[in-house]
């Protein structure tokens, strides 16, 4: 019997560590010889902590939202008493959501122990690398990747085979294979989950790519804010070396290859490949002019290939199943599957992996369960600070590398931030621009100064000080920042502003000309009053008002002094009769 505890960062944050300890103590106390395993996230982050019991006949019981006390009940009632706790099992509709996904990148996450290489090997791990290195030529490996149609999963979907081929054909005896694990988009956690749940698939992908391009070494540039991912990567690298999958004379072929980790300092701009290379070399993370491209002149001026975590994790599966099998999924121009992180005002937040081409509606409503609290879907931000907002009117847009950019957003690395009617789109644009302005390396005047001027305007607008001409000035700045910046950070920084202006221009106008926030989100634009017809004089609002702005007798209608009111919202929160009016 096996007991799996989801201990990715999401599970541990929800209390999975305590659940694991409780299970271990209870199993020891009852002298039960079940195998207790720490695994990664299966994607259903909204139901963590998750415990899966697999009996000797292979029957699975997935328990959700477990705490230490419930863990003890699972041992006593299920394992000892033989009676599964049906009320704690994952609902059938959620099981269907997981089963309907097509998992390639996430195939082992939540299934194996990421710190035990034998479990990865038992599932066919490193067989693809063995086949490539012992049976296939580098050209044939690249041909398989070409046939698959695998596009880079870091954002643009650029053909992976083309980058590999360019690095292979570049002059030089020393070449490098770099994995970009500097996942910096707000609301994105795809790469983190893969590194925590299945690090060996990434190592094997880097190994295969290194063989194909003739690389000297593999380097994983991972953000230091991912301590669990770094821990499990270090364990995986050590185990792979001990097994002979990395190191000298791999598979007795004479091919030698090593992989090491570089912990990044958390600069968003280091997601750009030339800035990442600068950081690897010990320099400040700032982009460099292209050409020359990294494939020709990269790390230490040597030919370098850079792909992200998800791209590499696909490679072993593609080699094992054939390029045609991967190409059969998705659409004509956007092949295979894509991992998305669903966050924001969505019922079932977490990770999903689906074939490219599914419409946003199916991802958000069928897989993600729709919007929390029965509210209306308003928009979804795709591509993080480099992307844009797709409005509800375009919810049937297929998720491909052709259709999403047509809306003004991008697929990006896979983050989806879902918004409802309570989200102010002006403030959402301000949030993402605040992020990119702070993360700008400062090399380009347009990016360094232009984003600051844009942010100042947006701050004024949400604070009620917007003025005529602000919209036009924002649009002018967007064009200049985009066209005058050297790297993708500056070039795409205006996207959240441009898309919200395109689809939600009336919200900007309401903020500026009517001094109102339609979403009732911008604090400085709100007014609070009491509907005397609904007020029963319970005095709760007055008791919770920190500035004594509410007056009135017991059992008599109350009144809010607008001059004193600091718009904290406490009165609206505590009123049980809907008497506080927020406008």
């Amino acid at each position: 019997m096996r007991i799996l505890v989801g201990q990715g960062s999401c599970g541990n944050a929800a209390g999975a560590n305590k659940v694991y300890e409780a299970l271990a103590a209870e199993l020891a106390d009852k002298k039960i010889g079940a195998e207790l395993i720490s695994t990664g996230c299966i994607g259903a982050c909204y139901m963590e902590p998750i415990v899966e019991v697999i009996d000797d006949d292979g029957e699975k019981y997935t328990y959700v939202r477990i705490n230490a006390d419930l863990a003890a009940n699972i041992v006593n009632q299920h394992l000892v008493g033989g009676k599964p706790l049906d009320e704690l099992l994952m609902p059938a509709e959620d099981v269907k959501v997981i089963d309907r996904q097509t998992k390639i990148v996430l195939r082992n996450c939540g299934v194996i122990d990421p710190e035990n290489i034998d479990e990865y090997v038992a599932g066919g791990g490193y067989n693809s690398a063995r086949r490539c290195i012992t049976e296939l030529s580098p050209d044939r490996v690249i041909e398989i990747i070409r046939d698959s149609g695998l596009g880079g999963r870091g954002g643009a979907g650029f053909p992976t085979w083309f980058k590999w081929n360019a690095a292979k054909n570049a002059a030089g005896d020393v070449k490098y294979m770099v994995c970009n694990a500097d996942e910096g988009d707000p609301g994105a956690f795809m790469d983190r989950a893969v590194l925590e749940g299945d690090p060996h698939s990434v190592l094997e992908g880097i190994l295969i790519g290194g063989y194909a391009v003739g690389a000297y070494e593999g380097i994983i540039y991972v953000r230091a804010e991912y301590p669990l991912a770094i821990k499990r990567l270090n364990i995986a690298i050590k185990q792979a070396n001990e097994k002979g999958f990395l190191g000298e004379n791999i598979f007795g072929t004479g091919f030698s290859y090593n992989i090491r980790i570089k912990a990044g300092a958390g600069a968003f701009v280091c997601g750009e490949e030339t800035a990442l290379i600068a950081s690897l070399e010990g320099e400040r993370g700032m982009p460099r002019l292209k050409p020359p491209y990294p494939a020709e002149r990269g790390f230490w001026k040597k030919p370098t290939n850079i792909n992200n975590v998800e791209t590499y994790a696909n490679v072993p599966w593609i080699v094992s199943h054939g390029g045609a099998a991967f190409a059969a999924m998705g659409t004509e121009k956007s092949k295979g599957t894509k991992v998305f992180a669903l966050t924001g005002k969505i019922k079932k937040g977490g990770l999903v992996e689906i074939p490219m081409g599914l419409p946003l509606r199916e991802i958000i409503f069928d897989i993600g369960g729709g919007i929390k609290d029965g509210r209306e879907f308003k928009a979804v931000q795709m591509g993080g600070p480099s992307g844009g907002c797709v409005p509800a009117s375009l919810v049937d847009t297929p998720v491909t590398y052709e259709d999403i950019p047509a809306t003004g957003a991008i697929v990006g690395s896979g983050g989806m931030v879902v918004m409802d009617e309570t989200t102010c789109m002006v403030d959402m644009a301000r949030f993402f621009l605040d992020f990119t302005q702070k993360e700008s390396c400062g090399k380009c005047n347009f990016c360094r100064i232009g984003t600051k001027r844009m942010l100042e305007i947006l701050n004024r607008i949400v604070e009620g000080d917007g003025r005529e001409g602000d919209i036009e000035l924002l649009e002018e700045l967007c064009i200049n920042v985009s066209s005058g910046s050297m790297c993708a950070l500056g070039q795409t920084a205006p996207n959240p502003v441009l898309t919200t202006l395109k689809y939600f221009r009336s919200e900007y106008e309401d903020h500026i000309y009517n001094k109102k926030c339609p979403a009732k989100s911008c604090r400085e634009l709100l007014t609070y009053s009491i509907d005397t017809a609904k007020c029963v004089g319970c005095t709760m609002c007055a008791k919770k008002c920190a500035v004594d702005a509410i007056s009135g007798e017991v059992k008599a209608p109350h009144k809010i002094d607008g001059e004193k009111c600091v718009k904290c919202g406490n009165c609206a929160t505590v009123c049980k009769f809907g008497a506080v009016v927020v406008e």
Side-chain angles (χ1 to χ4, degrees):
M1 179 175 290
R2 287 162 56 92
I3 304 174
L4 283 72
V5 182
Q7 286 192 277
S9 290
C10 54
N12 288 338
N17 285 337
K18 294 182 179 179
V19 170
Y20 184 93
E21 292 170 2
L23 286 168
E26 203 67 28
L27 290 172
D29 182 64
K30 298 296 188 297
K31 295 182 174 54
I32 299 175
E35 186 180 7
L36 183 61
I37 299 169
S38 173
T39 186
C41 174
I42 66 171
C45 305
Y46 63 101
M47 306 183 85
E48 296 281 8
I50 297 175
V51 175
E52 187 169 72
V53 176
I54 306 174
D55 65 23
D56 294 334
D57 296 325
E59 186 76 19
K60 296 182 181 180
Y61 302 86
T62 304
Y63 294 103
V64 298
R65 301 186 179 96
I66 302 304
N67 56 34
D69 291 336
L70 293 174
N73 290 345
I74 291 173
V75 173
N76 292 318
Q77 295 186 40
H78 184 165
L79 275 63
V80 177
K83 296 180 179 179
L85 288 75
D86 293 340
E87 67 278 9
L88 300 180
L89 292 174
M90 179 180 288
E93 63 181 63
D94 295 285
V95 174
K96 290 179 181 178
V97 167
I98 294 175
D99 290 344
R100 71 180 294 179
Q101 296 177 41
T102 304
K103 294 195 174 186
I104 295 176
V105 173
L106 302 179
R107 59 191 178 276
N108 291 322
C109 292
V111 177
I112 66 171
D113 180 353
E115 298 183 15
N116 185 348
I117 191 173
D118 291 333
E119 293 204 10
Y120 181 73
V121 171
Y126 290 104
N127 284 345
S128 292
R130 184 188 301 275
R131 179 187 172 214
C132 288
I133 296 171
T134 62
E135 300 177 17
L136 305 178
S137 67
D139 285 331
R140 177 55 186 147
V141 174
I142 293 175
E143 183 181 351
I144 292 172
I145 302 302
R146 184 195 65 192
D147 292 344
S148 74
L150 174 65
R153 294 310 195 236
F158 193 79
T160 301
W161 79 270
F162 190 91
K163 294 179 72 172
W164 286 20
N165 199 53
K168 173 184 174 296
N169 292 332
D173 296 331
V174 177
K175 300 178 182 181
Y176 295 95
M177 208 73 175
V178 175
C179 175
N180 182 351
D182 191 53
E183 186 174 54
D185 289 6
F189 47 93
M190 301 76 57
D191 291 352
R192 186 198 73 204
V194 175
L195 294 175
E196 291 176 352
D198 189 17
H200 286 287
S201 68
V202 182
L203 297 184
E204 186 174 9
I206 298 171
L207 173 60
I208 292 170
Y211 170 75
V213 307
Y216 166 82
E217 183 182 38
I219 306 168
I220 304 175
Y221 186 95
V222 59
R223 55 192 304 109
E225 295 93 333
Y226 286 177
L228 183 59
I230 292 174
K231 172 193 171 186
R232 289 179 175 171
L233 274 173
N234 276 317
I235 292 172
I237 291 172
K238 181 176 182 292
Q239 292 176 341
N241 275 283
E242 291 172 349
K243 291 283 188 180
F245 300 134
L246 293 175
E248 303 298 317
N249 192 29
I250 300 173
F251 303 127
T253 62
F255 174 67
S256 300
Y257 193 75
N258 292 293
I259 296 176
R260 63 182 174 90
I261 296 171
K262 164 66 176 177
F268 181 65
V269 72
C270 287
E272 196 278 334
E273 58 185 10
T274 61
L276 185 155
I277 289 172
S279 181
L280 277 177
E281 294 173 347
E283 301 293 332
R284 182 179 177 187
M286 300 177 77
R288 300 168 179 175
L289 285 172
K290 294 185 289 189
Y293 292 94
E296 178 185 356
R297 188 181 176 90
F299 183 49
W300 297 129
K301 298 180 174 57
K302 303 297 183 181
T304 303
N305 178 84
I306 303 178
N307 293 115
N308 84 323
V309 169
E310 186 178 342
T311 307
Y312 284 122
N314 274 299
V315 170
W317 190 96
I318 290 172
V319 171
S320 175
H321 293 78
F326 189 85
M329 295 177 279
T331 66
E332 182 179 353
K333 294 183 179 180
S334 297
K335 305 292 188 183
T337 65
K338 180 73 187 76
V339 180
F340 291 99
L342 301 181
T343 61
K345 305 296 182 67
I346 195 165
K347 289 181 180 177
K348 300 177 180 180
L351 288 176
V352 300
E353 184 173 3
I354 47 91
M356 295 290 288
L358 259 64
L360 283 168
R361 181 188 299 277
E362 189 168 340
I363 298 171
I364 294 170
F365 289 93
D366 295 348
I367 296 176
I371 312 304
K372 286 182 178 178
D373 303 320
R375 297 187 184 276
E376 290 293 321
F377 170 58
K378 188 172 187 177
V380 57
Q381 173 80 10
M382 294 189 64
S386 302
C389 291
V390 182
S393 59
L394 298 178
V395 72
D396 290 311
T397 301
V399 177
T400 69
Y401 289 109
E402 304 80 51
D403 294 290
I404 293 299
T407 70
I410 60 174
V411 173
S413 59
M416 286 190 184
V417 182
V418 178
M419 293 164 274
D420 66 14
E421 67 216 42
T422 65
T423 304
C424 173
M425 304 312 293
V426 183
D427 191 47
M428 179 59 66
R430 186 205 60 78
F431 169 81
F432 281 109
L433 193 67
D434 177 67
F435 180 87
T436 49
Q437 195 277 321
K438 290 174 179 174
E439 293 291 339
S440 171
C441 74
K443 187 169 188 175
C444 304
N445 287 342
F446 281 103
C447 181
R448 182 180 70 251
I449 301 173
T451 56
K452 187 172 181 61
R453 296 289 89 85
M454 291 171 65
L455 181 60
E456 288 171 351
I457 295 170
L458 290 170
N459 280 332
R460 282 198 290 99
I461 293 174
V462 299
E463 290 168 3
D465 296 323
R467 48 184 181 251
E468 189 167 350
D470 277 348
I471 292 177
E472 291 73 20
L473 183 54
L474 276 174
E475 291 174 326
E476 181 181 351
L477 284 168
C478 283
I479 294 171
N480 290 333
V481 170
S482 181
S483 60
S485 299
M486 188 175 74
C487 86
L489 186 149
Q491 292 165 5
T492 61
N495 285 351
V497 179
L498 287 171
T499 52
T500 51
L501 279 171
K502 179 179 180 180
Y503 299 116
F504 302 96
R505 194 182 192 90
S506 63
E507 288 201 24
Y508 282 84
E509 293 170 343
D510 278 331
H511 280 70
I512 295 170
Y513 302 114
N514 301 325
K515 305 302 180 185
K516 294 290 184 183
C517 175
K520 299 180 180 180
S521 172
C522 297
R523 179 169 169 173
E524 296 303 320
L525 294 174
L526 301 180
T527 58
Y528 287 80
S529 60
I530 293 179
D531 185 343
T532 56
K534 293 183 179 179
C535 180
V536 299
C538 71
T539 74
M540 283 300 298
C541 59
K543 290 177 180 177
K544 291 295 182 179
C545 182
V547 294
D548 296 324
I550 303 176
S551 60
E553 300 296 327
V554 177
K555 296 185 179 180
H558 282 45
K559 182 180 180 180
I560 298 178
D561 185 341
E563 294 295 322
K564 291 184 178 180
C565 179
V566 294
K567 305 174 183 180
C568 66
N570 285 342
C571 54
T573 301
V574 300
C575 182
K576 299 179 180 179
F577 305 98
V580 178
V581 180
V582 184
E583 295 179 314

